[in-house]
Amino acid sequence: MLLSLNRAGPVLACSEEMREKAKGLIRLGMLDFGWRLWHLQMLMCLTGLLQGDLCYGQRLVQIQEGPLYRVKGYPISISCDVSGFKGSPVQDFEFRVKKSNVDINIISTKEQDFAYAMYSNRIREKEIEIERLSGSSVLLRIKTLLEGDAGDIFCQTPNTDGGYLGSYEAQSKLNVIEDTLKASYSGSSSQSLSEGDPLQLECQVSSETYQHTHLSVSWFLHSGADENPRPIITLDKDLTVKLGAGFEDRYRAGLISMDKVEDTTFRLKMLQVQQSDQGNIYCKAIEWIQDPDRSWTQIAHKTSTACNVEVKQIVAPDAGSFSVYMKASKGPLQVGDALDIHCSVKAQSLPGHLFSVTWLKNQKSVAQIGPSGMLTVFDIYKERENAAEMRAVKTSRTDYLLTIRSARAEDQGQYQCEVWQEDMNDDGTFRRIQKQLSSPETVNITAKESDLTLVMMMEDAVTEGDTLQVSCSVSGSKGPLSVTWQHKKDSGDSFSDVISLTHEGVMKDIGTKYQSRHVQTLQSPAGNFTLEIGASATSDRGEYRCIVSEWTIQSNGEMTKANTQSQQKAILVHSVESQMTVTLKSRTTNVPINSSVELLCIVKGPKVSLAVRWMFQPPNSTVQTNILSIRHTGEIAWGADRRNYQLSIQTQPSATHLLLIVPQASKQQEGQYHCQVDAYQKNVQKAMKNSNPLAVTVKKPVSRMSLSKLKSRLETTVNTDAKIECSVLTTTTDTSRFTITWMIGSQMLLTMDLDAVVKFGPAAGLEMDQRIRMEVRQKQTFQLTVHQVRTSDSGQYRCEVEEWLQDPLGDWYSLRKMSGSTELVVKEKESKLHVKKENRMLNITDHQAGFTVDCDIDSQSSDKSTFEVTWFKVQEEGPVAIFTARRDGTLHSAIGDKQLVFGRPLATHYKLTVQQIQPTDVGQYYCRVEEWLPTADNWRKFVSDKSGELSVHVHTEGDPEKSIDWLITTLGITIPLICFLVLVIILLLTRKHKRNSDHKKKKAGLWAENHPLNAVSKVTSART
């Protein structure tokens, strides 16, 4: 124990120390956890603030979810609200409708003139308005919905946020459907009843909308004392029953009910009408639809005509008296029907009263219930009572009922209830005190008709050309039967006879309209009659009546008509055209060239012979062409090349499929297709129908053509050949062809077609077309050559290349056109022609010697140059040509009386010698040289130059004046030449002297006064 305690002591102390440390650690942990939790809260707070700041202003506009289906002519309201906005708490709203990608403004809370014209009048008349539910929520209300209001409805809120963040509009689809709801009451317009009588009314309600809708039907009572109609009972859209105020107790007691009979009939039953039920009773139908938000919305309502119900009050008798009321079975009664006669006694302040009730017919007693309740049956009615055909009972303290289970013809007559008040004597007998009679009521009982019944059986509709068959099933007959068939086309017509069958089985009395037609009536062993009209026509539609008569044999052996029954029923005869539909379909309406196109013409309708025509209309054309025709007899006639088409026909039970295949489509086969179908019955055309048009697009392949780049500028000189190349680098196919057109400026120079035929354009002219040529180098390089270019040939030359491919029909079609251009600059050649220009003076004293005028050509422009040299003599009126050496070697002299000698010692040296000089030969002479260069097929004058002048002076003997003139002329030339030489020498000496003295001068000026020029002695030339 001690050891344990000693051992436990340290353990305990250690545990306490550890516990304190643990508490400290826990406190620190809690402090750290609290600190971290505070950080987390701060972080979440900051994050929330940040998110709140970011999220604030996330505007969201929401409109009532669509699609919405509403009925034309009824009101509609569409909600729209906005959230997450900044700015004014009252937001503006705008509504638009989008139809056919066009936005149309409807109404706005901000702008008065926001609406387009088609809505402005309705807004002014308050037909369309915005109802504000709050600052951020509105309703768009349209009081009378129009068909044109359908479309995408947009609700938009103008921005008040200072920036754009979020959504500012919302969209909902509105569909406007036709009003097909119907509600009608077909009973009598008024009924007169007494208190406690039953009332039954029926209302026909239907809707033919394609949408899924529910109907609710209510019966209303509108009495004179009520300002508004009061609901009696309602069968709601979910088939639950709701009662109007004041009718709940009677419903729970089973006195009021509403039943749905079949699909469209709603029947109101009131077993015991009350005085408060008097008034106009009608039914109201409401059509409901469930919107995408799962809420039910009323979209249409209709009210039937009313039945005016009069409820007569039963007057209570005076105190100490009583009154009697009788009511017999209503409606026409036949022999064998049940006859009920009710007697009711109303007593006032007659405690412990006893009554005896007697039913009277024509003032004779039928039966009596005594004051003790004992039944007494009188006379002939005893047997019927014993046979359980008749009984009389007391149904309540005041009500008595006489029932004849199977009425006879002798039961008809005037009935009354006779009631005696009786008291019981002390001896147990009864004594009569007072009597009351009810009002008399006449009961009519007719003889029960025969059991003959008819049921007409026929199809609701047949197709034109088919056999129309009507059957009349007969039952309950006891004798021979005859039948007469009648027909009327329209409701306003009267019936006319078709055919009759006598009770002897003879057909007769065929109607006038049916004389030439196959009409017969037959009777089966079971007694049923059948009418057959072969090859029915549309005029056979309408109502058919079957009149069946039952015959009996009289005592004299003659047959007499005992009973006749009839029944009628309508039948439709559809025309072949109305039953036939033609549809053209294809999955290959957009194909590349050379691909297959399949066009499927589907003909649905009655089984008739068909004639089919496939028609084609090219684009941008109104002309239709016939591809092929199939006659109703089976022959096929092709209007197009049958090699380009294939035809397949498949006959199915419900349709005929005609498949037209274009195996390899070309651009020529691009356009609209449709099929025309004619229906024949016995070779008579009954209908013609066109299918829908179907457009087929044949696409060209994508061109891969590319051209080489032309030089932007090409320079050349005149009389050379300019060549411009246009090369096709890549083509779409190896079979591509090209048309090439060369343009200069905006005019066509020449063009080459697909067959490489070249035609010149307006820009070529009559002269240029002889100098231009285009050739194909290699395969796809097209070279334009302009021979012997001229400066007028300069301009912008453009090469237009158009790629063509051949389609499956052999036609070429354009794929792509590309062009490149270059500028051609034609410059004149640089002239190198130069004629020696040395002016000379020639004094001639010997008249016999003559003189020569030389014409030396120093240089020429071309080695191929030829020259034409003309010598001129200068006279007062100007130069006059005296001799010409033409370039073709011919010589021409203009002086006929002078002997001139032409010489050409060298190819570039021409000379003309004038012999036997005369005084008239004095003057100046020179020559002019014209240089001609060759062209492609001719020569052209390139340039001209002239020589220096030769001045010729002729001396004659004894003419000193002329000698002096010659001397003066000589001196006039010599003296200036000597002066020129002296001046040159002086200038050279001066420059030499200046160079020698420049290095000796340092500060000397350059002025002439410091270094005067030395005078040069004047040179005087003597006349020679």
Side-chain angles (χ1 to χ4, degrees):
M1 289 290 292
L2 183 60
L3 181 61
S4 299
L5 289 173
N6 290 338
R7 289 182 178 179
V11 172
L12 182 61
C14 180
S15 299
E16 290 178 355
E17 183 180 358
M18 290 179 65
R19 189 179 294 112
E20 290 298 324
K21 290 183 178 180
K23 288 182 180 180
L25 291 174
I26 290 172
R27 282 194 294 270
L28 289 175
M30 291 296 293
L31 182 62
D32 181 70
F33 176 77
W35 175 258
R36 292 186 181 184
L37 182 61
W38 182 82
H39 270 279
L40 179 60
Q41 290 175 348
M42 286 294 294
L43 181 61
M44 291 177 67
C45 181
L46 291 174
T47 303
L49 291 173
L50 182 59
Q51 289 181 347
D53 185 66
L54 290 174
C55 294
Y56 189 75
Q58 289 276 356
R59 178 184 289 259
L60 177 63
V61 177
Q62 292 179 310
I63 193 172
Q64 186 171 344
E65 185 181 356
L68 302 176
Y69 291 90
R70 296 296 184 265
V71 177
K72 181 173 66 175
Y74 289 89
I76 182 178
S77 62
I78 301 176
S79 63
C80 182
D81 55 70
V82 60
S83 60
F85 57 87
K86 294 181 180 180
S88 172
V90 179
Q91 292 288 298
D92 285 309
F93 292 82
E94 297 175 353
F95 287 91
R96 294 177 289 107
V97 60
K98 187 172 186 178
K99 295 186 286 187
S100 301
N101 294 325
V102 177
D103 288 339
I104 302 173
N105 294 349
I106 300 177
I107 192 171
S108 170
T109 60
K110 183 178 181 181
E111 301 177 19
Q112 294 293 331
D113 56 351
F114 177 79
Y116 283 8
M118 62 185 297
Y119 289 105
S120 57
N121 290 336
R122 297 169 67 188
I123 292 174
R124 282 195 296 270
E125 296 172 1
K126 303 296 183 181
E127 280 288 325
I128 301 176
E129 57 186 358
I130 295 179
E131 178 185 346
R132 187 176 289 279
L133 304 178
S134 66
S136 60
S137 180
V138 296
L139 284 178
L140 170 65
R141 291 193 179 275
I142 301 177
K143 293 183 179 179
T144 304
L145 193 61
L146 303 180
E147 188 174 356
D149 296 333
D152 294 325
I153 304 296
F154 287 85
C155 173
Q156 183 175 358
T157 59
N159 184 18
T160 61
D161 305 332
Y164 286 91
L165 187 62
S167 64
Y168 291 83
E169 70 175 14
Q171 172 188 356
S172 183
K173 181 73 172 180
L174 174 61
N175 299 290
V176 180
I177 59 179
E178 291 294 327
D179 183 10
T180 61
L181 180 63
K182 296 179 182 178
S184 62
Y185 165 69
S186 57
S188 60
S189 59
S190 64
Q191 292 193 36
S192 179
L193 303 172
S194 297
E195 284 183 304
D197 288 347
L199 173 65
Q200 179 173 299
L201 301 175
E202 290 184 352
C203 183
Q204 307 293 326
V205 177
S206 65
S207 176
E208 298 177 358
T209 181
Y210 290 105
Q211 307 304 319
H212 178 71
T213 59
H214 287 190
L215 298 177
S216 64
V217 179
S218 302
W219 286 95
F220 284 85
L221 169 64
H222 193 187
S223 63
D226 297 329
E227 181 179 356
N228 296 315
R230 292 184 294 125
I232 301 173
I233 189 170
T234 299
L235 186 62
D236 209 352
K237 58 183 178 296
D238 55 359
L239 299 181
T240 59
V241 177
K242 296 181 179 179
L243 277 301
F247 296 94
E248 298 91 338
D249 294 339
R250 294 163 69 184
Y251 173 76
R252 285 191 289 269
L255 298 178
I256 295 179
S257 65
M258 185 166 112
D259 301 325
K260 183 178 181 183
V261 183
E262 297 180 348
D263 291 333
T264 60
T265 302
F266 295 82
R267 181 180 296 161
L268 170 67
K269 287 183 179 181
M270 303 178 73
L271 296 184
Q272 294 178 357
V273 295
Q274 300 178 359
Q275 188 68 27
S276 60
D277 298 332
Q278 183 169 272
N280 291 319
I281 299 179
Y282 63 89
C283 77
K284 180 178 181 181
I286 300 177
E287 189 170 13
W288 301 78
I289 193 168
Q290 192 173 30
D291 288 337
D293 62 359
R294 312 302 296 173
S295 65
W296 287 92
T297 303
Q298 175 182 331
I299 61 173
H301 59 83
K302 286 290 173 64
T303 301
S304 72
T305 57
C307 175
N308 183 263
V309 177
E310 178 186 6
V311 180
K312 298 178 182 179
Q313 183 178 6
I314 298 178
V315 180
D318 296 333
S321 65
F322 65 93
S323 59
V324 180
Y325 300 92
M326 189 197 79
K327 184 176 180 182
S329 298
K330 287 191 174 182
L333 295 176
Q334 291 183 341
V335 174
D337 291 344
L339 172 61
D340 291 334
I341 301 174
H342 295 267
C343 283
S344 296
V345 180
K346 304 295 182 183
Q348 184 73 18
S349 299
L350 291 176
H353 56 271
L354 299 173
F355 297 99
S356 65
V357 177
T358 304
W359 285 271
L360 304 177
K361 189 196 86 171
N362 297 332
Q363 304 298 322
K364 293 183 179 180
S365 299
V366 176
Q368 183 186 71
I369 295 178
S372 63
M374 185 178 67
L375 173 66
T376 303
V377 180
F378 300 95
D379 301 332
I380 60 173
Y381 294 99
K382 291 182 179 180
E383 295 180 1
R384 300 177 68 179
E385 193 266 340
N386 293 333
E389 290 185 13
M390 186 182 75
R391 73 179 183 129
V393 293
K394 184 178 180 180
T395 58
S396 68
R397 188 170 59 87
T398 59
D399 295 320
Y400 302 82
L401 172 63
L402 170 66
T403 300
I404 299 176
R405 297 183 185 277
S406 180
R408 301 176 182 176
E410 58 266 25
D411 291 332
Q412 65 181 354
Q414 189 178 71
Y415 285 83
Q416 274 183 300
C417 284
E418 180 186 76
V419 179
W420 280 92
Q421 179 188 355
E422 298 187 20
D423 285 339
M424 180 181 290
N425 296 321
D426 294 336
D427 56 0
T429 60
F430 294 92
R431 71 176 185 274
R432 293 182 175 181
I433 300 175
Q434 58 179 333
K435 182 182 74 170
Q436 293 288 344
L437 284 172
S438 69
S439 300
E441 187 171 340
T442 302
V443 174
N444 295 313
I445 300 175
T446 60
K448 190 173 181 65
E449 295 182 0
S450 169
D451 292 335
L452 182 68
T453 57
L454 307 179
V455 177
M456 285 189 72
M457 294 177 295
M458 60 193 298
E459 296 180 359
D460 293 334
V462 297
T463 302
E464 174 188 12
D466 293 344
T467 299
L468 187 152
Q469 191 174 75
V470 184
S471 295
C472 195
S473 177
V474 182
S475 62
S477 62
K478 298 179 177 61
L481 301 174
S482 65
V483 65
T484 298
W485 293 97
Q486 293 181 332
H487 167 251
K488 68 175 181 179
K489 183 178 178 182
D490 297 313
S491 58
D493 299 340
S494 59
F495 279 99
S496 60
D497 291 341
V498 179
I499 194 172
S500 297
L501 183 69
T502 67
H503 62 275
E504 297 172 340
V506 179
M507 283 190 296
K508 66 174 186 176
D509 300 333
I510 299 177
T512 306
K513 296 187 298 183
Y514 303 92
Q515 294 287 337
S516 60
R517 299 181 61 184
H518 176 70
V519 179
Q520 64 178 357
T521 180
L522 304 172
Q523 184 178 13
S524 68
N528 299 329
F529 295 96
T530 302
L531 170 67
E532 289 185 357
I533 302 177
S536 60
T538 54
S539 58
D540 294 331
R541 73 178 189 276
E543 283 189 281
Y544 285 83
R545 182 159 64 185
C546 167
I547 304 173
V548 177
S549 299
E550 186 177 10
W551 297 75
T552 60
I553 302 176
Q554 294 181 343
S555 57
N556 58 5
E558 293 183 359
M559 299 291 294
T560 183
K561 190 181 296 184
N563 189 22
T564 299
Q565 294 286 343
S566 68
Q567 197 174 42
Q568 60 196 52
K569 190 174 181 181
I571 188 171
L572 291 174
V573 180
H574 295 301
S575 65
V576 173
E577 185 172 8
S578 66
Q579 297 295 101
M580 188 171 68
T581 60
V582 181
T583 307
L584 184 59
K585 297 181 179 179
S586 178
R587 293 182 179 178
T588 54
T589 57
N590 195 346
V591 298
I593 287 181
N594 212 25
S595 297
S596 174
V597 176
E598 295 184 357
L599 304 172
L600 179 61
C601 184
I602 303 174
V603 183
K604 294 182 178 180
K607 295 295 182 181
V608 292
S609 300
L610 300 178
V612 182
R613 291 179 298 278
W614 284 93
M615 306 301 293
F616 170 70
Q617 181 176 331
N620 303 321
S621 174
T622 58
V623 179
Q624 295 186 358
T625 58
N626 184 8
I627 299 174
L628 68 92
S629 298
I630 307 173
R631 292 179 54 82
H632 67 280
T633 54
E635 298 92 347
I636 299 178
W638 289 89
D641 191 345
R642 63 183 302 173
R643 293 174 297 180
N644 301 328
Y645 301 92
Q646 296 175 5
L647 180 65
S648 172
I649 302 176
Q650 292 182 353
T651 303
Q652 299 181 0
S654 60
T656 300
H657 290 187
L658 299 103
L659 182 64
L660 181 67
I661 302 174
V662 184
Q664 293 178 308
S666 69
K667 289 296 287 184
Q668 276 190 0
Q669 292 161 326
E670 179 180 75
Q672 275 195 351
Y673 291 81
H674 74 273
C675 53
Q676 296 178 349
V677 180
D678 299 338
Y680 285 82
Q681 284 183 340
K682 297 182 179 179
N683 294 326
V684 177
Q685 183 177 352
K686 292 294 184 179
M688 184 183 75
K689 284 274 188 171
N690 286 330
S691 74
N692 55 293
L694 193 63
V696 173
T697 303
V698 181
K699 298 180 296 185
K700 299 177 182 179
V702 178
S703 175
R704 295 195 295 270
M705 180 181 70
S706 63
L707 300 181
S708 62
K709 187 174 181 180
L710 277 68
K711 294 182 178 179
S712 60
R713 182 181 177 91
L714 179 63
E715 293 186 359
T716 187
T717 56
V718 294
N719 289 333
T720 59
D721 294 343
K723 296 182 179 181
I724 306 174
E725 286 189 351
C726 186
S727 298
V728 179
L729 298 180
T730 58
T731 62
T732 305
T733 66
D734 294 336
T735 59
S736 297
R737 288 192 185 181
F738 307 93
T739 57
I740 312 299
T741 302
W742 286 95
M743 306 287 292
I744 178 169
S746 60
Q747 289 188 315
M748 187 181 77
L749 189 63
L750 58 82
T751 181
M752 185 179 74
D753 61 16
L754 294 174
D755 298 323
V757 177
V758 178
K759 295 180 181 179
F760 292 98
L766 296 176
E767 182 272 333
M768 191 175 183
D769 61 1
Q770 299 178 1
R771 297 189 295 110
I772 59 176
R773 184 182 67 194
M774 187 174 68
E775 59 182 339
V776 181
R777 298 172 60 84
Q778 297 176 355
K779 183 180 179 181
Q780 296 159 354
T781 299
F782 306 93
Q783 185 181 77
L784 173 69
T785 303
V786 183
H787 296 285
Q788 299 296 312
V789 294
R790 303 172 184 175
T791 56
S792 60
D793 296 334
S794 298
Q796 194 77 21
Y797 285 76
R798 186 171 74 255
C799 167
E800 294 181 352
V801 180
E802 191 170 4
E803 186 179 19
W804 295 73
L805 294 179
Q806 193 174 30
D807 67 10
L809 298 183
D811 296 323
W812 291 90
Y813 61 92
S814 173
L815 194 59
R816 187 183 184 188
K817 181 184 285 188
M818 299 183 69
S819 64
S821 62
T822 186
E823 182 182 7
L824 177 63
V825 179
V826 181
K827 297 181 179 180
E828 289 285 355
K829 282 188 177 181
E830 184 180 357
S831 174
K832 296 181 180 180
L833 176 67
H834 186 265
V835 181
K836 187 176 182 180
K837 294 177 175 56
E838 181 183 359
N839 293 323
R840 295 186 301 119
M841 183 178 293
L842 182 63
N843 292 317
I844 300 174
T845 57
D846 186 1
H847 293 185
Q848 299 299 324
F851 63 91
T852 299
V853 181
D854 291 311
C855 197
D856 289 332
I857 300 173
D858 293 337
S859 62
Q860 61 190 55
S861 301
S862 173
D863 294 339
K864 298 180 181 180
S865 301
T866 60
F867 305 100
E868 187 168 298
V869 183
T870 303
W871 282 267
F872 293 88
K873 179 182 179 184
V874 180
Q875 298 183 359
E876 293 180 359
E877 63 274 10
V880 176
I882 58 175
F883 189 84
T884 300
R886 301 190 186 279
R887 58 185 177 82
D888 57 359
T890 60
L891 303 176
H892 175 71
S893 176
I895 304 174
D897 57 348
K898 200 72 170 177
Q899 185 176 4
L900 303 175
V901 179
F902 168 77
R904 187 181 182 186
L906 297 173
T908 58
H909 184 194
Y910 295 78
K911 62 181 181 178
L912 179 68
T913 300
V914 181
Q915 297 180 346
Q916 296 180 355
I917 299 174
Q918 297 179 0
T920 57
D921 294 332
V922 174
Q924 286 81 34
Y925 292 86
Y926 68 89
C927 70
R928 186 185 68 191
V929 178
E930 293 180 354
E931 186 178 22
W932 290 71
L933 296 177
T935 62
D937 53 0
N938 207 339
W939 292 82
R940 76 177 184 93
K941 178 181 174 182
F942 178 54
V943 72
S944 64
D945 196 11
K946 69 176 184 177
S947 67
E949 292 185 352
L950 174 64
S951 298
V952 178
H953 183 75
V954 180
H955 291 281
T956 58
E957 293 181 0
D959 190 1
E961 184 177 354
K962 293 181 179 180
S963 298
I964 294 172
D965 291 338
W966 178 83
L967 180 60
I968 292 172
T969 301
T970 302
L971 290 175
I973 296 172
T974 306
I975 291 174
L977 181 60
I978 295 172
C979 291
F980 176 74
L981 293 174
V982 171
L983 286 174
V984 170
I985 294 170
I986 291 173
L987 288 173
L988 292 174
L989 292 175
T990 302
R991 293 181 64 184
K992 183 178 180 182
H993 175 72
K994 185 177 180 180
R995 282 196 300 268
N996 294 331
S997 60
D998 280 343
H999 67 280
K1000 299 177 180 180
K1001 296 178 182 179
K1002 293 182 179 178
K1003 296 180 181 181
L1006 297 178
W1007 298 105
E1009 289 81 356
N1010 297 328
H1011 304 282
L1013 298 175
N1014 293 326
V1016 179
S1017 60
K1018 184 177 181 181
V1019 180
T1020 303
S1021 299
R1023 179 179 292 182
T1024 56

